[in-house]
Structures are given as structure tokens and as C-alpha cells.
Amino acid sequence: GFRNCTVANCTFRSCRGLALEEVDGGIMDNITINNITMMDVPDYAIYITTGKRNRTPNVTTPSRARNILISNVIADGVGKMSGIQIMGLPEQPLEGIRLENIRLTSKGGGTQADAAIEPKELGDGYPEPRKLGTLPAYGVFARHVKGLELANITVDFQTNDLRPAIICSNVNGLEIDNFKAQTATGVSAAQFDDVTGLDVRNSPVVK
């Protein structure tokens, strides 16, 4: 696994975004990432996930990821597939994830059909974002998380997008402070399903 790691002061240009992935019963703990600039990143900007590929013989402990802080990120020209993905396992949610001071501009282009997609669970394969394809939210999609904090987040798009800016599903303890989002006419900015402990502040766009 990976513990007590810091990534800082990096530029991503015309490459895939930031991916934090853990499988085979490993643990990712105490990760700090800050001061990141991204330009023309296809597919996604930030991707945090655990999977259960479990190639290790007789592994019984689920993969875990916890205590992750990502701050001060500017991402421009993010591909249509998704902006920020945060996904744990149904039996082992991600824990203690905080994103703050992030400005993300998507290329947009999402349709009503894209907004209706039900993303599959990652299962026992390698947890690559491309296996999920386009997600139903253009900005933030979070599922199976315990303790998610989003502060000072701004998301918008270059081409009209008919998907919500944020979708959260099966999240226990969700704090949103100063979330700003561009939305297409008639499209809700936020969609919550099975979310408990919701605290929204300074975010009129989130109903």
C-alpha cells in the first residue's frame, strides 16, 4: 500500500488526470495532494477508488483508502467522461476524503441519456475509469464514501451539458461548503441518493 505521501506543485498537460487506486487488499492512508494544474486532460481530472481484483492468493481484507486531502487544483479542458470520481466498495467505503479549493472546467457535451446512466460497480477487475465510461455527473460523482468534505469547489463546462454537476450515492457524512456550478436550463445541479448526515453551507445552487 501507500502511506504518508505528498504530491505537490505539478502540471498535467494533455495526459490523463490524477488517479489514486488501491486493489489486492492494500491500503492507501494519509495522502496529501496540493497545487496541481491540469490542461486538456481526457476522460477525468481526479479519480479515487478501491477495487477487489484480489490477485493475491487467499486475500480476505478489502482494499481501503482513507485520510486523503486534495487541494488547490485548477483543471481546464477536462474530457466529457467525468470530472471527479470518488468511489469505494459497497462493503468498504472510502473514509475521510476532503477536496478543497478546486476549479474544474469540463468540455461538456453530456446528454440526457448520459445523465440517466447507472454506473456499474468495479467488481474484480482492475479499477480503470475507462471501464465505467461516461458518468451521469459532469463535475463530481461520489459513491460508497464515509466522511466526504467538499469546500470551495467550482465546476462549469465549455459546451452545454445536460447532466447534474454533482451526484452522491451511499455517502455517510457529506459536508458541502461554497459549491458553485454551472447548469443547463432545466437541469438540477445536485442529486443525492442514500446520503446521510448532509450539511450544505453557502451553496445556493445545491437544493
Side-chain angles (χ1 to χ4, degrees), residues 16-86:
R16 292 193 175 93
L18 172 70
L20 304 178
E21 308 172 18
E22 191 60 77
V23 293
D24 299 342
I27 185 169
M28 185 181 304
D29 192 10
N30 292 351
I31 309 296
T32 301
I33 297 170
N34 63 81
N35 297 342
I36 305 294
T37 299
M38 303 183 186
M39 293 160 285
D40 298 320
V41 288
D43 300 341
Y44 62 90
I46 297 172
Y47 179 68
I48 310 171
T49 194
T50 51
K52 46 186 177 181
R53 179 183 63 170
N54 295 350
R55 293 197 308 186
T56 305
N58 304 316
V59 64
T60 58
T61 302
S63 303
R64 291 156 292 163
R66 63 193 184 195
N67 302 328
I68 296 173
L69 170 62
I70 301 176
S71 62
N72 303 326
V73 177
I74 296 176
D76 189 15
V78 179
K80 172 192 167 184
M81 192 174 82
S82 70
I84 299 171
Q85 304 181 37
I86 307 169

Side-chain angles (χ1 to χ4, degrees), residues 29 73-74 84 93 103 115 127-129 169 171 178-179 196:
D29 192 10
V73 177
I74 296 176
I84 299 171
R103 181 175 293 273
E128 280 295 322
S169 175
V171 176
N178 193 28
F179 185 89
T196 58

Side-chain angles (χ1 to χ4, degrees), residues 58-155:
N58 304 316
V59 64
T60 58
T61 302
S63 303
R64 291 156 292 163
R66 63 193 184 195
N67 302 328
I68 296 173
L69 170 62
I70 301 176
S71 62
N72 303 326
V73 177
I74 296 176
D76 189 15
V78 179
K80 172 192 167 184
M81 192 174 82
S82 70
I84 299 171
Q85 304 181 37
I86 307 169
M87 289 181 284
L89 298 168
E91 66 273 25
Q92 184 66 57
L94 307 181
E95 298 183 50
I97 311 297
R98 181 176 176 87
L99 275 62
E100 64 182 23
N101 301 335
I102 294 176
R103 181 175 293 273
L104 183 149
T105 298
S106 169
K107 291 181 180 178
T111 65
Q112 289 183 330
D114 294 330
I117 290 173
E118 291 282 349
K120 65 181 180 180
E121 301 288 348
L122 289 169
D124 57 5
Y126 200 80
E128 280 295 322
R130 287 170 293 174
K131 292 187 176 182
L132 291 175
T134 300
L135 292 186
Y138 81 84
V140 179
F141 182 86
R143 181 172 66 186
H144 309 317
V145 186
K146 180 179 180 181
L148 175 60
E149 302 173 26
L150 305 173
N152 304 324
I153 310 291
T154 299
V155 295

